[in-house]
């Protein structure tokens, strides 16, 4: 139903980044509140390349809460959406928009309904953590519309109830999710360790790996791991606490060697926990393993890490280089092994495409002329089509309000998605 004549629509739009964990969250001690079994640490990615944009509109003429994701209406009846909506509504305050002649009292929010439209600037099907950006953005933007004044720690604990990893998308740069001790989850919040400017040489290259397999969701995968993997308990209690301290130190001192060793070891241990689960969960595939081999051989031959790799609940590789020079060298090796299937170089690299010219790759001829990486076992083996495309990105900032009316996803007259 569209807006009735004489009724107003109030709206806010926000944009939130996605994040990638370098010390992984895997396992809950409380499923309903989403409380983890260990701390985790992540880097926030540039929202220009990977983010969710969400508009939230409110009007007295909306009969119910509704949501559209990437243009399609989705149900809001799930517990995770309801928890986020309830927690933000509880903290809603008076709102006054003099220009529009709107006045909403704190108590009115219980009766008012919202329309939410959200959009990811990267394909959801690519298996990149879209729930982290999505729930962080939902909570941030609802908070803006409802004039919620809570600090970011509190917002992170609400976003956590949408999806655990979403609490880390409330900040830019380097972020730690402290598991907390309280049963009510009040101290399970994210904190910023350093902003994105602290270590801005880092370059992130994501290989979006082709996969036809339907993956086990993080939620059900980690539930199975908690119930069946003895390694998960050992990891959470003995390994992670120490690793988190070392990772904080590596970030603080911009020690790439330590950062890279910890990142790779933690990704591998997370996937070992998946293997230790009954039934075992395989998130990585042959392409993922080939990328690990390539990086490990390169790192070993140089005697010190040149790039770090990390993999989430899917086959995509997230590669972190200390600078553009190493990112360009990495790209040469990757493009030798995984040349584009359709001969179109420019659509094979999204995000910061300029890394291609840093690597001297301005045309397909340049790609074809690449020498085989010294680290390859069988130097002439190529795996065309095994990587769908690459994304080149960097660290980025936390959620922001989007003020340009043209970027809003809801029509301010009809109250429906544009
Ligand atoms: C492998 O946050 O997606 O990406 O809390 O059940 O929504 P839920 O799970 P989710 O799990 C993310 C797991 C991970 C590691 C990480 O991001 O720390």
């Amino acid at each position: 139903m569209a807006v009735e004549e004489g009724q107003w629509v109030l709206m806010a739009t926000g944009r939130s980044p996605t994040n990638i964990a370098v010390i992984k969250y895997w396992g809950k001690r409380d499923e309903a509140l989403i409380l983890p079994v260990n701390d985790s640490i992540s880097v926030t990615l540039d929202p220009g390349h990977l983010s969710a944009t969400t508009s939230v509109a409110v009007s007295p003429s909306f009969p119910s809460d509704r949501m559209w994701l990437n243009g399609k209406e989705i149900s809001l009846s799930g517990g995770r959406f309801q928890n986020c909506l309830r927690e933000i509504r509880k903290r809603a305050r008076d709102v006054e928009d003099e220009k529009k002649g709107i006045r909403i009292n704190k108590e009115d929010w219980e009766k008012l309904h919202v329309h939410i439209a959200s959009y990811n600037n990267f394909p959801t099907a690519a298996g990149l953590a879209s729930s982290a950006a999505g729930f962080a953005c939902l909570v941030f933007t609802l908070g803006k519309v409802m004039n919620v004044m809570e600090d970011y720690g509190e917002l992170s604990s609400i976003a956590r109830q949408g999806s655990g990893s979403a609490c880390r998308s409330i900040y830019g740069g380097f972020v730690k999710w402290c598991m907390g001790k309280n049963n009510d989850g009040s101290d399970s919040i994210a904190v910023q360790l350093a902003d994105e400017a602290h270590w801005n040489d880092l370059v992130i290259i994501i290989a979006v790996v082709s996969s036809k397999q339907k993956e086990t969701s993080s939620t059900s995968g980690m539930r199975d791991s908690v119930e069946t993997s003895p390694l998960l308990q050992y990891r959470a209690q003995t390994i992670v606490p120490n690793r988190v301290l070392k990772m904080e130190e590596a970030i603080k001192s911009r020690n790439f060697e330590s950062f890279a060793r910890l990142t790779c070891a933690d990704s591998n241990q997370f996937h070992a926990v998946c293997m230790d689960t009954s039934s075992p969960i395989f998130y990585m595939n042959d392409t993922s393993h080939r990328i690990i081999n390539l990086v490990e051989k390169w790192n070993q031959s140089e005697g010190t890490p040149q790039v770090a790799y990390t993999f989430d609940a899917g086959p995509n590789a997230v590669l972190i280089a200390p600078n553009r020079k190493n990112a360009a060298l990495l790209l040469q090796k990757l493009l030798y092994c995984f040349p584009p299937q359709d001969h179109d170089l420019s659509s094979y690299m999204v995000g910061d495409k300029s890394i291609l010219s840093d690597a001297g790759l301005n045309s397909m001829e340049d790609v074809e002329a690449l020498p085989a990486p010294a680290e390859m076992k069988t130097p002439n083996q190529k795996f065309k089509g095994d990587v769908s495309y690459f994304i080149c990105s960097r660290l980025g900032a936390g959620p922001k309000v989007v003020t340009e009316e043209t970027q809003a996803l809801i029509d301010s007259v009809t109250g429906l998605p544009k």
Side-chain angles (χ1 to χ4, degrees):
M1 187 165 78
V3 175
E4 287 163 29
E5 196 136 348
Q7 297 273 37
W8 49 261
V9 177
L10 186 72
M11 182 165 51
T13 301
R15 174 166 302 146
S16 296
T18 186
N19 71 77
I20 176 85
V22 289
I23 301 291
K24 305 291 185 195
Y25 146 55
W26 195 251
K28 299 179 182 72
R29 62 180 202 276
D30 185 315
E31 285 258 352
L33 288 171
I34 312 199
L35 302 178
V37 293
N38 57 257
D39 293 348
S40 54
I41 295 182
S42 59
V43 296
T44 295
L45 302 184
D46 185 343
H49 302 143
L50 295 150
S51 59
T53 301
T54 302
S55 292
V56 176
V58 58
S59 169
S61 64
F62 295 165
S64 60
D65 294 335
R66 293 175 74 184
M67 176 160 180
W68 293 262
L69 177 61
N70 297 323
K72 260 184 66 189
E73 183 155 15
I74 59 164
S75 164
L76 276 174
S77 64
R80 290 169 171 222
F81 283 116
Q82 288 303 317
N83 289 347
C84 292
L85 280 163
R86 185 194 61 240
E87 291 304 312
I88 292 287
R89 271 202 176 101
K90 254 203 245 170
R91 293 162 175 84
R93 293 162 16 111
D94 295 353
V95 171
E96 194 162 4
D97 186 325
E98 277 184 15
K99 261 197 270 154
K100 289 189 171 170
I102 303 170
R103 179 161 176 96
I104 305 169
N105 292 325
K106 210 170 142 181
E107 311 71 59
D108 299 340
W109 285 111
E110 287 302 325
K111 303 185 291 279
L112 285 167
H113 292 288
V114 288
H115 281 181
I116 304 162
S118 192
Y119 159 84
N120 298 325
N121 67 352
F122 54 93
T124 314
L128 297 160
S130 52
S131 68
F135 276 105
C137 205
L138 174 69
V139 166
F140 175 79
T141 315
L142 278 170
K144 288 292 166 204
V145 168
M146 299 189 186
N147 195 21
V148 168
M149 297 298 269
E150 251 67 29
D151 62 27
Y152 277 31
E154 183 91 7
L155 287 186
S156 80
S157 104
I158 301 173
R160 187 201 75 226
Q161 296 173 57
S163 178
S165 53
C167 74
R168 298 185 311 237
S169 275
I170 290 290
Y171 300 98
F174 297 86
V175 184
K176 175 178 165 185
W177 174 10
C178 309
M179 62 179 286
K181 288 194 195 74
N182 301 343
N183 286 339
D184 65 358
S186 52
D187 58 351
S188 190
I189 60 167
V191 295
Q192 188 179 51
L193 298 174
D195 69 13
E196 60 280 13
H198 167 72
W199 197 354
N200 60 8
D201 295 342
L202 297 181
V203 180
I204 296 168
I205 292 182
I206 303 174
V208 178
V209 171
S210 318
S211 159
K212 283 170 204 78
Q213 200 188 311
K214 172 90 188 83
E215 280 133 27
T216 313
S217 78
S218 305
T219 307
S220 74
M222 68 176 85
R223 185 182 304 136
D224 291 349
S225 294
V226 167
E227 282 168 8
T228 63
S229 166
L231 179 56
L232 180 138
Q233 307 301 333
Y234 176 69
R235 163 179 164 73
Q237 284 157 25
T238 312
I239 304 283
V240 176
N242 183 26
R243 221 171 242 176
V244 162
L245 291 176
K246 287 191 178 143
M247 182 58 95
E248 284 188 62
E249 190 49 46
I251 291 168
K252 206 168 145 195
S253 57
R254 298 186 205 90
N255 178 342
F256 186 75
E257 174 165 357
S258 173
F259 175 84
R261 289 194 198 282
L262 292 163
T263 298
C264 298
D266 204 68
S267 171
N268 290 333
Q269 188 172 72
F270 152 51
H271 291 279
V273 167
C274 293
M275 281 284 270
D276 191 43
T277 298
S278 175
S279 310
I281 312 163
F282 309 104
Y283 284 125
M284 296 194 286
N285 63 18
D286 287 354
T287 311
S288 320
H289 294 151
R290 278 193 189 103
I291 295 174
I292 293 183
N293 262 324
L294 189 73
V295 172
E296 285 286 349
K297 296 247 168 58
W298 184 26
N299 288 348
Q300 266 164 33
S301 72
E302 299 288 338
T304 155
Q306 305 299 299
V307 292
Y309 56 82
T310 185
F311 294 79
D312 275 348
N316 300 329
V318 178
L319 301 147
I320 309 176
N323 50 46
R324 288 185 76 85
K325 184 174 151 261
N326 283 24
L329 287 171
L330 170 69
L331 210 56
Q332 291 174 347
K333 296 176 197 294
L334 288 171
L335 263 74
Y336 177 89
C337 300
F338 306 103
Q341 190 154 36
D342 54 7
H343 260 248
D344 178 8
L345 190 54
S346 88
S347 63
Y348 201 46
M349 173 61 73
V350 308
D352 178 6
K353 289 176 188 284
S354 70
I355 195 72
L356 281 173
S357 46
D358 279 42
L361 302 171
N362 297 306
S363 66
M364 272 310 291
E365 286 70 52
D366 295 333
V367 174
E368 276 149 15
L370 280 168
E375 338 13 70
M376 276 185 81
K377 257 201 225 120
T378 328
N380 53 4
Q381 259 194 321
K382 296 196 179 199
F383 303 91
K384 195 183 266 187
D386 286 2
V387 169
S388 305
Y389 60 95
F390 291 96
I391 304 169
C392 180
S393 191
R394 57 179 166 249
L395 264 60
K400 291 243 157 65
V401 171
V402 176
T403 47
E404 303 92 28
E405 177 73 32
T406 54
Q407 303 249 14
L409 302 173
I410 294 179
D411 185 308
S412 59
V413 176
T414 64
L416 293 169
K418 281 181 179 170

